[in-house]
Amino acid sequence: MIPPQEASARRREIEDKLKKEEETLSFIRDSLEKSDQLTKNMVSILSSFESRLMKLENSIIPVHKQTENLQRLQENVEKTLSCLDHVISYYHVASDTEKIIREGPTGRLEEYLGSMAKIQKAVEYFQDNSPDSPELNKVKLLFERGKESLESEFRSLMTRHSKVVSPVLILDLISGDDDLEVQEDVTLEHLPESVLQDVIRISRWLVEYGRNQDFMNVYYQIRSSQLDRSIKGLKEHFRKSSSSSGVPYSPAIPNKRKDTPTKKPVKRPGTIRKAQNLLKQYSQHGLDGKKGGSNLIPLEGRDDMLDVETDAYIHCVSAFVKLAQSEYQLLTDIIPEHHQKKTFDSLIQDALDGLMLEGENIVSAARKAIIRHDFSTVLTVFPILRHLKQTKPEFDQVLQGTAASTKNKLPSLITSMETIGAKALEDFADNIKNDPDKEYNMPKDGTVHELTSNAILFLQQLLDFQETAGAMLASQETSSSATSYSSEFSKRLLSTYICKVLGNLQLNLLSKSKVYEDPALSAIFLHNNYNYILKSLEKSELILLVAVTQKTAERSYREHIEQQIQTYQRSWLKVTDYITEKNLPMLQPGVKLRDKERQVIKERFKGFNDGLEELCKIQKAWAIPDTEQRDKIRQAQKTIVKETYGAFLHRYGSVPFTKNPEKYIKYRVEQVGDMIDRLFDTSA
């Protein structure tokens, strides 16, 4: 049992706890009541706020919609005003731009094109919106006037700034490809850069907006004139330079050293000058043939103007290629692409036609020269033809895209030159064969005939033009193999031709030699000519060409030369026959000579003396230009005569066949030798 004291304490403790729990419960109830009240108040406030928002929304939405409409109306008004301003601006374009258009584009192209753009837009507007408006006609007229001014400005710029290219610059341009030394490229500035840009802008505007192609005609006419004048200026430069100094010169590129320009000779194409120099060299060695006329006009007397004209034409051809290339580069910047080829074709026609006409004139002159046997003039065709064929690849490249008639001009000229060249070669060979044997044209001293020197000189030209001459001959072959002839084929043709000329020459010389009454002079004549031919062949490459088809030509000429020497030596038999052993009386030692024997000895001395004097007098006037051959023939003859005369003199010089021995023994052996040493020497 719990004591009463503890039970009482425990009860008090429980009561206290219960009391506290009641107080807590009471506090919670109060809090819940307050919370409910607050919740009711919040719900009331929210309900009131929602009601007010709904009222506000119902009031604002109509206002907002009305504001949007007002804004849209304002924007429409602004756009309308802007459109009105834009439309009104078209009505002011004419008045705003008229002054600029009237004053023209010179010096103000940018501003001018801006005005033209405004006028163009105005025209388009009125055409689309008011085609019957008088304003349309006004801006149209202004546009046409502006376009005409641009066309006029284009012509003016091209005319004022297109300059003829100077001959010196052209020569530098041509020689630039051939110079071995590294040098700056020679460039042509046809138009100043600022002018070029203006011209390009105008041309593009005229194509895009002006719908006009007339400016292309203006362009090619102006540039065509400048191209033609540039080439003609170069030709005139050659003429003036040749008349003043003999050789045209081209200063070095000006921008290298403007203070001290150097001079360099223009590269001269292969003409007949080389062979003429060779002929002069042969002359110094005693091989020249100056006496004796020929039906052929002498090549040595060839007018230097032919060289000048030939060089000028060749350089003009090269100049055309270079200038045409430059013109095409300029044209591509200015002319629309689909019109470039046609415009270029028109641009080069005058200059090209001029070159082709001059080439045909050369062919015509060569044709006339063949008729009068002036083959020196015909030779101008060779260097020209060679240069045309060498230049043809560049020509073809430049003319690519032009009309067929334009492309065919050069091949046609080449064909004409090949034909006339082949005709000249054949006619020359025939003239060598048929040159008449005119007595008054024969050299009195038996030296080299002019026909021989002309023939050799002509053949020497072919050394510089072997391929050209061979191609000429091959072009006339009708066989199928000749249509695609090789260099070996043309070389054989040329060799055959040279042998033909030499054969004709030999036959003609044999015929001409018969004009001489004296067989010895005839032999000297043939000897001189054969020797001249052989030495000329040996001193040049002609012998190599001859050897292509005739391996024994050199030996054959040597045999002919030796044969003529032997023929000449027989002329001395009538002198030496007087004193040879077989024609002399046999003398017995110590036996007195009979009158008949004395008379025979006298006749032998007299016959020898008279024959010696006569031959020396006659043959002293003859000529053997080749010193080596002259000494050889003299020495051989001197040996024979001195030996024969020495033996005769030894045998009969001391025989008392006369009371006046000095009358018959007129010469000592040494004197006879001296007399023979003076043969073939007109100065002795």
Side-chain angles (χ1 to χ4, degrees):
M1 248 183 95
I2 299 173
Q5 191 176 358
E6 286 183 11
S8 176
R10 188 169 182 81
R11 188 172 61 247
R12 284 195 301 273
E13 181 180 351
I14 291 170
E15 287 176 352
D16 288 339
K17 287 183 178 180
L18 182 61
K19 186 177 179 180
K20 288 180 180 179
E21 289 295 334
E22 286 176 351
E23 290 176 355
T24 300
L25 180 62
S26 176
F27 175 76
I28 291 172
R29 283 194 185 107
D30 290 341
S31 296
L32 286 173
E33 287 177 0
K34 289 179 179 179
S35 177
D36 288 341
Q37 186 61 40
L38 289 172
T39 300
K40 288 180 181 179
N41 292 338
M42 180 61 70
V43 169
S44 176
I45 291 170
L46 288 174
S47 297
S48 174
F49 184 71
E50 181 181 7
S51 175
R52 290 181 179 181
L53 280 177
M54 289 181 65
K55 290 180 180 179
L56 180 61
E57 182 178 354
N58 291 333
S59 301
I60 289 299
I61 286 176
V63 173
H64 176 70
K65 290 182 177 179
Q66 187 176 6
T67 301
E68 280 187 341
N69 291 334
L70 289 174
Q71 287 178 341
R72 192 177 296 110
L73 288 174
Q74 184 179 2
E75 288 176 359
N76 290 338
V77 169
E78 289 176 352
K79 287 181 179 179
T80 302
L81 290 174
S82 177
C83 289
L84 286 175
D85 289 339
H86 182 67
V87 170
I88 292 172
S89 68
Y90 288 129
Y91 286 87
H92 291 96
V93 165
S95 59
D96 291 343
T97 60
E98 186 174 8
K99 180 181 179 182
I100 296 174
I101 300 303
R102 184 174 63 251
E103 292 175 352
T106 304
R108 52 195 294 183
L109 182 62
E110 190 71 29
E111 181 183 5
Y112 192 90
L113 291 178
S115 297
M116 289 299 294
K118 293 178 181 178
I119 297 172
Q120 172 72 14
K121 290 179 179 178
V123 170
E124 293 172 354
Y125 171 79
F126 288 120
Q127 283 178 336
D128 294 339
N129 298 281
S130 184
D132 298 329
S133 170
E135 292 296 328
L136 176 60
N137 294 331
K138 191 172 182 179
V139 291
K140 270 188 174 182
L141 289 174
L142 197 58
F143 182 81
E144 290 301 320
R145 187 190 305 171
K147 185 172 71 170
E148 290 174 1
S149 294
L150 284 172
E151 293 170 356
S152 177
E153 179 69 4
F154 182 89
R155 179 189 293 273
S156 176
L157 289 174
M158 291 299 303
T159 303
R160 284 188 287 115
H161 296 281
S162 291
K163 305 297 182 184
V164 174
V165 183
S166 70
V168 169
L169 187 56
I170 294 176
L171 290 174
D172 285 334
L173 189 67
I174 295 172
S175 61
D177 292 342
D178 302 324
D179 286 348
L180 296 179
E181 297 180 1
V182 178
Q183 59 174 315
E184 297 177 15
D185 292 335
V186 182
T187 56
L188 297 179
E189 185 183 66
H190 294 292
L191 297 172
E193 183 61 29
S194 59
V195 174
L196 176 61
Q197 294 305 318
D198 285 351
V199 168
I200 292 173
R201 293 202 63 186
I202 293 174
S203 69
R204 289 178 179 173
W205 189 94
L206 289 173
V207 170
E208 185 174 357
Y209 302 107
R211 305 291 190 269
N212 188 338
Q213 298 181 8
D214 291 343
F215 78 95
M216 300 181 199
N217 297 331
V218 172
Y219 176 84
Y220 90 71
Q221 289 168 2
I222 294 173
R223 295 307 308 170
S224 174
S225 174
Q226 300 304 325
L227 175 61
D228 192 40
R229 289 169 60 193
S230 296
I231 294 176
K232 288 178 178 177
L234 177 62
K235 184 176 181 181
E236 188 63 26
H237 172 74
F238 267 82
R239 290 176 176 170
K240 290 181 179 179
S241 298
S242 63
S243 61
S244 60
S245 61
V247 180
Y249 287 97
S250 166
I253 302 174
N255 60 11
K256 278 196 167 184
R257 291 186 63 185
K258 296 182 180 179
D259 53 342
T260 56
T262 58
K263 286 187 176 182
K264 59 184 177 182
V266 174
K267 196 172 183 183
R268 295 175 69 81
T271 63
I272 74 163
R273 187 70 60 202
K274 177 180 177 182
Q276 289 177 334
N277 291 336
L278 285 173
L279 188 63
K280 291 178 182 178
Q281 294 174 13
Y282 302 159
S283 174
Q284 294 170 1
H285 290 83
L287 295 179
D288 197 7
K290 297 182 180 178
K291 299 179 181 179
S294 165
N295 193 37
L296 301 174
I297 294 178
L299 297 181
E300 293 172 80
R302 184 178 187 264
D303 189 355
D304 285 343
M305 282 305 295
L306 286 176
D307 270 344
V308 174
E309 293 295 333
T310 300
D311 289 351
Y313 184 74
I314 286 173
H315 281 84
C316 285
V317 170
S318 296
F320 172 81
V321 173
K322 294 296 183 183
L323 293 177
Q325 289 173 342
S326 181
E327 287 291 344
Y328 189 76
Q329 292 173 358
L330 176 66
L331 177 142
T332 54
D333 291 331
I334 299 174
I335 303 300
E337 184 176 358
H338 54 288
H339 292 286
Q340 289 173 2
K341 295 294 184 182
K342 182 179 179 181
T343 304
F344 180 69
D345 196 345
S346 301
L347 188 154
I348 62 174
Q349 283 304 314
D350 286 349
L352 181 59
D353 286 344
L355 285 177
M356 296 303 107
L357 177 60
E358 191 171 349
E360 290 298 338
N361 288 340
I362 291 171
V363 172
S364 179
R367 189 176 291 110
K368 294 176 182 177
I370 292 173
I371 295 174
R372 63 178 185 270
H373 303 157
D374 178 11
F375 292 97
S376 63
T377 301
V378 179
L379 287 173
T380 60
V381 172
F382 284 74
I384 292 173
L385 176 58
R386 181 176 66 181
H387 187 70
L388 289 179
K389 295 180 80 170
Q390 289 174 345
T391 313
K392 187 176 182 297
E394 286 186 275
F395 240 100
D396 293 341
Q397 185 177 5
V398 169
L399 301 183
Q400 188 177 6
T402 57
S405 59
T406 302
K407 294 178 182 177
N408 291 333
K409 287 180 179 179
L410 181 63
S412 176
L413 178 59
I414 289 175
T415 300
S416 296
M417 287 194 171
E418 283 191 331
T419 302
I420 200 64
K423 171 70 173 171
L425 292 174
E426 292 303 319
D427 277 33
F428 182 81
D430 292 341
N431 275 277
I432 292 295
K433 180 179 180 180
N434 301 320
D435 189 69
D437 307 325
K438 298 177 181 178
E439 185 174 353
Y440 61 85
N441 276 338
M442 294 297 291
K444 303 299 183 184
D445 56 2
T447 190
V448 179
H449 198 281
E450 192 174 32
L451 177 69
T452 303
S453 61
N454 279 348
I456 293 299
L457 181 57
F458 186 88
L459 293 180
Q460 283 164 352
Q461 318 316 308
L462 305 185
L463 292 176
D464 284 336
F465 310 105
Q466 294 183 37
E467 292 185 7
T468 304
M472 286 177 176
L473 296 169
S475 68
Q476 303 306 304
E477 292 292 314
T478 56
S479 62
S480 58
S481 61
T483 56
S484 58
Y485 55 86
S486 63
S487 58
E488 185 63 29
F489 175 74
S490 61
K491 188 175 183 179
R492 291 189 64 83
L493 284 179
L494 183 58
S495 176
T496 302
Y497 171 77
I498 292 174
C499 292
K500 176 182 177 181
V501 172
L502 293 175
N504 290 350
L505 177 60
Q506 187 172 338
L507 290 173
N508 198 309
L509 290 173
L510 281 171
S511 177
K512 289 183 186 300
S513 68
K514 296 175 182 178
V515 172
Y516 295 110
E517 296 179 359
D518 191 334
L521 181 55
S522 177
I524 291 297
F525 171 76
L526 289 175
H527 164 273
N528 285 332
N529 282 272
Y530 291 157
N531 184 62
Y532 178 85
I533 294 170
L534 177 59
K535 291 295 179 66
S536 299
L537 293 178
E538 289 177 336
K539 287 181 180 292
S540 66
E541 297 178 9
L542 279 174
I543 193 67
L544 299 178
L545 272 177
V546 170
V548 172
T549 53
Q550 284 195 12
K551 305 293 185 183
T552 62
E554 187 174 356
R555 185 181 67 188
S556 177
Y557 273 110
R558 294 192 186 282
E559 291 174 354
H560 288 317
I561 291 169
E562 190 58 36
Q563 182 182 354
Q564 297 310 316
I565 291 176
Q566 294 174 6
T567 301
Y568 162 75
Q569 288 176 340
R570 286 196 288 271
S571 69
W572 281 84
L573 291 177
K574 63 182 179 181
V575 176
T576 57
D577 277 352
Y578 281 105
I579 57 176
T580 54
E581 186 73 27
K582 63 180 181 178
N583 294 326
L584 295 175
M586 297 298 293
L587 302 179
Q588 298 296 326
V591 178
K592 186 179 180 180
L593 293 175
R594 292 175 296 184
D595 291 342
K596 183 178 180 181
E597 290 174 336
R598 287 195 296 269
Q599 187 61 33
V600 170
I601 294 173
K602 288 179 182 179
E603 289 176 356
R604 295 296 179 265
F605 269 107
K606 186 178 185 304
F608 174 78
N609 293 335
D610 292 345
L612 176 66
E613 291 169 357
E614 181 184 2
L615 280 185
C616 287
K617 181 181 178 181
I618 293 173
Q619 294 185 10
K620 184 176 71 172
W622 297 355
I624 299 180
D626 188 337
T627 304
E628 181 182 345
Q629 286 291 314
R630 182 168 65 240
D631 292 342
K632 175 184 174 182
I633 292 173
R634 280 174 177 171
Q635 186 60 42
Q637 200 58 53
K638 185 168 64 172
T639 300
I640 295 171
V641 175
K642 283 178 68 177
E643 287 179 357
T644 307
Y645 182 64
F648 175 74
L649 194 59
H650 176 73
R651 183 170 184 178
Y652 297 102
S654 58
V655 174
F657 65 91
T658 179
K659 295 178 180 179
N660 301 309
E662 67 277 358
K663 179 180 179 180
Y664 297 98
I665 307 176
K666 297 174 64 174
Y667 304 105
R668 299 189 307 274
V669 175
E670 290 74 15
Q671 287 179 306
V672 172
D674 291 341
M675 292 174 70
I676 294 175
D677 278 336
R678 290 193 292 271
L679 297 179
F680 317 116
D681 187 358
T682 56
S683 64

